Amino acid sequence: MDRLLERLARSSLERPVRTVLVAALLALIGLGLVLGLPPISDGLTLNSDFTAMLPRSAQSVRDFDEISARFGGQQALIVTVESPSDIEAARRFTRDLVPRIEAMRALKVAAVDWNLSDFERFVDEHGHLYASREDLEAIRDTLAARLEHERARANPFYVDLDDPPPDPEETIERIRRDAERARGDMHERFPEGFFQHPSENLLLFVVHTSIRGGEIGDTQALVAAIRAAAADLGPASYAPDLRLSFGGTLMEAHDETLSLVAAVRNATLLTIALVMLAIWVFFLRVRPIPLLTLALVPPVLVTFGVAELTVDYLNASSAFLSAIVVGNGINPNVIWLARFFEARRAGEPLEKALVTSHVGTWKGTLAASLAAGVAYGSLMTTDYRGFRDFGIVGGTGMVLCWIAAYTLLPALTVLFERWRPLVFDRGARYKGIYGVIFARVALGSPRAVLALSALVTIGCGVLVAIAIAEDPLEYDYRRLRSDRDPEGEVERVLAASRVILDDTSSGSGLAVLAPTRAAALAFRADLEARRGEWPNAYGAITSIDDLLPEDQDAKLPIVAELRRLMLEIRPHVSEELQRTIDERIPPEGVAPLGPDDLPRSVARPFTERDGTRGRLFVIEHHPEESGWDGLYTARWAAAARSLRAPGADGPPPVAGTAVVFSDLMQQIWDDGPRSIGVALLATVLLLAFTFRDHRSRWLTLATLLVGIVWMAGTMAAFGMHLNFLNFVAFPITFGNGADYGVNVMQRYTEERRRGGASPLDAVRAAVEGTGGAVVLCSLTTIIGYISIYTSSNQALNSFGAAMAISEVTCLAVAVLALPASLHLMARPGAPARDARAASV
């Protein structure tokens, strides 16, 4: 292997320009893939929708796709029209604007819900069926009694000894007042049919669209088109203070995506700036900054070019991998460059320094990078895209950055040396500031360090056990969303919609698609009957049948009898009552109303693209429960999925946020332990390959495991719970955490094997030399994770915090507890006979 490394070093020395040009070409190809330059690709996009983290085979994703295909727009864009001075102007403006929006089919507009006037007219036209059965029977009985009385009076021998029957006009007037009161209630809630706020001069309409939550370009195009259509109408000509605002699930996803994009950009720039500052502090030279920057650009761009080809888009979990790849991928480059500077400072010529750096670092950095790559790779064994995509991108980045450390970085170093050779003060002995500090602590008081480490480990173990017993998962979904300005546009629209709309209209319920309308009715009856089995699991159940008259089969004979009685009694009543009868008499041959008779304005949510109505119904959340409570949404989703059609193997399709969150949590439980197991097994195998003697293997593995226990204990101490983003920190830590212990142990064994140093000198060299570089590596990685705090998304913040904690704990064990252990195991003055303990 040493000969191969020598040839590789010689190639960097003899043909550096060729290596740099090849890297530049690959970087350009990667950039083309990321930006979507034709004909290379359509670009790497960001999808913040929660369904983007689930596999396409997930039940909630398949159900959403099926319901979307049958019904069209499943995302809601809510538009409010507000005019504090003139609500009538807002109504006129809405009447003129909505037809223009309905014509925007090319922008994926499926329908617009804006007015219920036609339903009011429909109810009036069929008032005899919408009247209550009790009222119909009261009119019938009154008319029958009056008719019998009038017929009796027509008999010349009739003697009226009883009280006269009630006047049918009084009964009809009473029922008419009740009907007017009901219409008044509806008019008060929906004035002139508009979705109007009860206490503000504001109304809204809902644009249903097939745009997915993460399709930011399509969302912006639709909003821009609506704004343009509104501008063409001239809002000021309606009212000087008239304005539009946008919200709904579509805008929430849009703002979430924009927040992620801005946070990714800020995090990446902040990571680069802080990493460069940390590098300067370590090397106390400017040259490492351009060297490491130029060495990282090609592998990072190629990594995300590969991501465009393999994962197509980044999700909320993988969005920050640019900062993470930079923070982690720089590690082997830092280790190599630190060794190179150390060799040059010792007076080695350029070629020998290259060979020394290759031979002295390749195995430790390869094992560490492979451990990180395998940890990322363990995520690829899962179906959960929040893990799998993270693993693909992260694993690719680790491999490519390691390759760049031994090809591109040496070539760049040679070119810089030819331009301006490094000059060192031969009289001064350089010690990296990072390594010296930890060496003094670990080697100055090794017993105290180990005793304190043991106490911390025990304490963290207790905290972890308590956290597991109390359930470590996060069930407050408000902590997984972005922090939004409560006075922001989207939040204001949301507040207004909650007052005006129900779950069915706003799209926040669970939509269930039955195989037939009869099955939908049976499902609904089943859920109503099983409310005791699912206490407080769901609220109202709405379907198209709620819009139809009740008890039609019982009412039809009464309505027919009313027609007969009205016709028979008409000659015997006053002209005024005759006019009332003429207005209210039911038509001949009244037929029951069905879903197809309803106006489109109210039937649209239940109407499929082919015109079929009545198969879909909506299960609303229980009014006493919070939709942000994970435990409640799990029960809500489970109740909906408990439905079974006769002969069906599974539940009908169910779409909604609750089932998506339910599937996310289930995927974590299913895939999380498996990825952790794979990462642990792979790390153990890598350690077996890297070190020949058992002591080195077990000490390095113990360093990793103790670091993970400290990590979990720290998270428990701060009250952090696991969610679908920060759970990924555990399998990743098996790779990243092993990085530091592997490099320190590798330097120790190399000093013993090649340099013939005593155990104590080898420990000191490992901590002061490689340990300092390891601290720098950890610092750059921590910077990458802390930069995630530029995001307003609380779930991402929790992931960044978990990973930063893991870096600190694993580093502390590697540069404090591990050297202290080696120091106590060493025998002063021991000969260098431990050469066989070196790495393979």
Side-chain angles (χ1 to χ4, degrees):
M1 188 65 188
D2 289 356
R3 292 181 180 178
L4 177 62
L5 293 171
E6 291 174 3
R7 287 199 297 269
L8 184 61
R10 194 174 299 111
S11 175
S12 299
L13 185 65
E14 296 173 354
R15 293 180 290 274
V17 175
R18 184 180 66 178
T19 302
V20 172
L21 290 177
V22 170
L25 177 61
L26 292 174
L28 289 175
I29 295 174
L31 182 63
L33 290 169
V34 171
L35 297 180
L37 301 178
I40 300 177
S41 76
D42 57 358
L44 184 64
T45 57
L46 178 61
N47 188 344
S48 64
D49 195 21
F50 284 118
T51 58
M53 291 192 289
L54 288 169
R56 303 310 304 174
S57 59
Q59 183 72 42
S60 58
V61 177
R62 290 189 286 110
D63 289 352
F64 179 85
D65 289 343
E66 181 175 352
I67 292 177
S68 295
R70 291 185 177 277
F71 287 86
Q74 290 298 303
Q75 287 284 2
L77 172 64
I78 299 177
V79 183
T80 61
V81 182
E82 184 177 8
S83 175
S85 65
D86 190 353
I87 188 61
E88 184 56 40
R91 294 173 186 164
R92 293 196 311 272
F93 181 79
T94 301
R95 286 192 186 97
D96 295 339
L97 177 61
V98 166
R100 298 189 177 206
I101 299 174
E102 289 177 325
M104 298 177 183
R105 301 296 177 183
L107 296 176
K108 301 183 180 181
V109 171
V112 182
D113 293 340
W114 68 283
N115 195 281
L116 300 176
S117 295
D118 55 353
F119 183 60
E120 292 183 23
R121 292 191 295 270
F122 180 82
V123 172
D124 281 342
E125 292 170 4
H126 301 86
H128 45 276
L129 287 178
Y130 280 96
S132 70
R133 181 178 174 180
E134 291 76 16
D135 285 347
L136 292 175
E137 289 174 340
I139 296 174
R140 180 198 62 188
D141 295 343
T142 301
L143 288 175
R146 182 59 183 268
L147 180 60
E148 182 180 355
H149 177 73
E150 294 296 337
R151 283 174 175 171
R153 287 180 56 193
N155 186 345
F157 302 103
Y158 172 71
V159 178
D160 189 1
L161 299 178
D162 298 324
D163 293 334
D167 187 352
E169 191 166 356
E170 294 179 2
T171 304
I172 293 174
E173 181 61 28
R174 176 180 60 80
I175 294 173
R176 181 163 50 191
R177 285 196 303 269
D178 292 342
E180 288 294 337
R181 190 179 302 112
R183 279 194 293 272
D185 292 342
M186 185 173 183
H187 182 79
E188 184 178 351
R189 183 180 179 190
F190 304 108
E192 298 183 23
F194 287 95
F195 298 103
Q196 184 173 316
H197 198 284
S199 60
E200 300 178 15
N201 282 354
L202 175 150
L203 54 87
L204 61 80
F205 56 88
V206 183
V207 181
H208 297 274
T209 172
S210 57
I211 298 173
R212 287 184 175 271
E215 295 174 345
I216 186 171
D218 290 344
T219 301
Q220 292 174 341
L222 176 58
V223 172
I226 294 175
R227 290 191 185 278
D232 287 343
L233 291 173
S237 65
Y238 292 81
D241 57 356
L242 190 145
R243 66 176 183 268
L244 270 66
S245 299
F246 295 84
T249 57
L250 188 67
M251 290 306 297
E252 289 175 13
H254 170 269
D255 286 4
E256 195 80 27
T257 303
L258 285 184
S259 175
L260 279 176
V261 169
V264 168
R265 180 188 63 245
N266 296 339
T268 303
L269 294 177
L270 181 63
T271 297
I272 293 172
L274 293 180
V275 164
M276 294 303 110
L277 176 62
I279 289 171
W280 180 83
V281 171
F282 177 76
F283 288 98
L284 295 178
R285 286 175 177 267
V286 175
R287 179 173 299 189
I289 295 178
L291 280 175
L292 293 172
T293 301
L294 294 173
L296 277 180
V297 169
V300 171
L301 288 177
V302 173
T303 294
F304 286 95
V306 172
E308 200 285 328
L309 297 175
T310 55
V311 303
D312 190 34
Y313 57 80
L314 300 179
N315 54 48
S317 176
S318 55
F320 280 82
L321 276 168
S322 55
I324 294 171
V325 168
V326 170
N328 278 351
I330 200 173
N331 292 355
N333 293 267
V334 167
I335 297 291
W336 186 93
L337 195 61
R339 179 58 68 88
F340 176 80
F341 271 59
E342 190 177 331
R344 292 288 282 146
R345 188 176 292 107
E348 294 185 8
L350 178 58
E351 181 176 357
K352 190 172 187 298
L354 291 174
V355 174
T356 298
S357 302
H358 279 34
V359 173
T361 63
W362 79 271
K363 188 164 291 184
T365 57
L366 177 61
S369 295
L370 283 178
V374 168
Y376 286 116
S378 70
L379 302 175
M380 297 165 56
T381 64
T382 69
D383 295 325
Y384 176 47
R385 289 199 63 168
F387 287 176
R388 183 176 64 85
D389 293 0
F390 199 104
I392 291 173
V393 180
T396 302
M398 293 304 99
V399 172
L400 293 179
C401 287
W402 184 86
I403 293 174
Y406 290 87
T407 55
L408 179 57
L409 179 59
L412 291 168
T413 302
V414 169
L415 292 177
F416 270 73
E417 283 272 354
R418 290 177 179 174
W419 168 59
R420 182 173 293 177
L422 286 169
V423 177
F424 296 94
D425 183 358
R426 297 294 180 86
R429 183 185 176 190
Y430 173 81
K431 294 183 179 181
I433 185 173
Y434 300 140
V436 170
I437 295 175
F438 287 97
R440 287 179 179 175
V441 175
L443 305 183
S445 305
R447 287 185 173 81
V449 169
L450 285 180
L452 181 60
S453 299
L455 289 176
V456 171
T457 303
I458 294 171
C460 287
V462 172
L463 290 174
V464 171
I466 294 173
I468 293 175
E470 295 178 351
D471 193 347
L473 291 184
E474 178 62 78
Y475 293 109
D476 185 355
Y477 291 157
R478 286 171 297 190
R479 297 178 181 175
L480 306 181
R481 62 185 302 208
S482 293
D483 290 323
R484 292 194 180 99
D485 180 4
E487 300 300 320
E489 181 177 350
V490 173
E491 291 298 308
R492 286 189 288 106
V493 172
L494 176 62
S497 67
R498 284 174 175 165
V499 176
I500 300 171
L501 303 175
D502 55 22
D503 283 358
T504 303
S505 301
S506 63
S508 58
L510 288 179
V512 183
L513 179 61
T516 63
R517 180 166 178 259
L521 294 172
F523 284 154
R524 180 173 182 173
D526 182 39
L527 286 171
E528 294 290 359
R530 292 193 294 135
R531 285 188 180 273
E533 181 183 337
W534 296 94
N536 285 17
Y538 46 89
I541 304 170
T542 60
S543 71
I544 199 168
D545 292 280
D546 294 321
L547 304 172
L548 294 171
E550 297 178 348
D551 300 327
Q552 291 193 73
D553 291 339
K555 291 177 182 177
L556 286 174
I558 302 174
V559 170
E561 192 174 358
L562 278 176
R563 176 179 173 80
R564 177 184 64 79
L565 290 170
M566 286 181 175
L567 290 174
E568 291 182 8
I569 203 174
R570 189 179 184 280
H572 306 288
V573 297
S574 65
E575 291 184 1
E576 183 178 355
L577 186 54
Q578 285 180 357
R579 287 193 296 271
T580 301
I581 289 174
D582 292 341
E583 292 173 0
R584 299 294 178 180
I585 189 169
E588 187 175 5
V590 176
L593 297 176
D596 293 337
D597 298 313
L598 291 168
R600 182 177 179 277
S601 62
V602 292
R604 187 214 56 77
F606 310 101
T607 305
E608 299 175 40
R609 285 180 170 177
D610 63 2
T612 302
R613 291 181 174 182
R615 296 202 302 146
L616 183 132
F617 62 95
V618 177
I619 307 174
E620 298 183 4
H621 85 279
H622 196 280
E624 297 179 7
E625 301 286 352
S626 170
W628 295 108
D629 182 350
L631 293 174
Y632 165 69
T633 57
R635 287 191 293 117
W636 185 18
R641 286 175 165 174
S642 69
L643 296 169
R644 293 291 184 277
D649 295 331
V654 182
T657 303
V659 290
V660 172
F661 276 129
S662 178
D663 283 359
L664 282 172
M665 299 307 291
Q666 189 60 49
Q667 286 280 173
I668 290 176
W669 277 121
D670 292 343
D671 293 344
R674 179 172 60 191
S675 63
I676 290 175
V678 171
L680 175 59
L681 177 61
T683 302
V684 171
L685 293 176
L686 278 172
L687 293 179
F689 164 78
T690 305
F691 300 105
R692 177 177 297 176
D693 68 298
H694 293 302
R695 188 184 75 166
S696 298
R697 294 169 182 166
W698 290 114
L699 277 176
T700 309
L701 179 60
T703 299
L704 169 63
L705 296 179
V706 170
I708 292 175
V709 171
W710 288 12
M711 165 199 173
T714 305
M715 292 177 64
F718 282 102
M720 296 176 61
H721 290 81
L722 298 178
N723 57 55
F724 50 80
L725 284 183
N726 66 20
F727 195 100
V728 76
F730 284 92
I732 292 177
T733 299
F734 278 101
N736 290 351
D739 187 336
Y740 311 126
V742 165
N743 277 295
V744 171
M745 182 62 74
Q746 176 66 24
R747 178 63 183 269
Y748 171 79
T749 57
E750 189 214 349
E751 289 289 331
R752 296 285 288 132
R753 180 170 67 92
R754 290 183 178 276
S758 69
L760 293 180
D761 290 339
V763 174
R764 186 170 298 279
V767 180
E768 291 183 350
T770 299
V774 162
V775 173
L776 175 59
C777 291
S778 180
L779 183 58
T780 61
T781 305
I782 291 172
I783 288 170
Y785 290 126
I786 291 179
S787 70
I788 295 177
Y789 271 87
T790 59
S791 167
S792 61
N793 186 284
Q794 297 178 75
L796 283 170
N797 291 345
S798 71
F799 166 73
M803 288 305 306
I805 290 171
S806 75
E807 286 293 318
V808 172
T809 57
C810 290
L811 173 68
V813 179
V815 297
L816 291 174
L818 177 59
S821 300
L822 292 172
H823 185 280
L824 292 178
M825 291 178 183
R827 298 190 305 276
R833 60 182 177 81
D834 292 341
R836 63 179 180 276
S839 58
V840 177

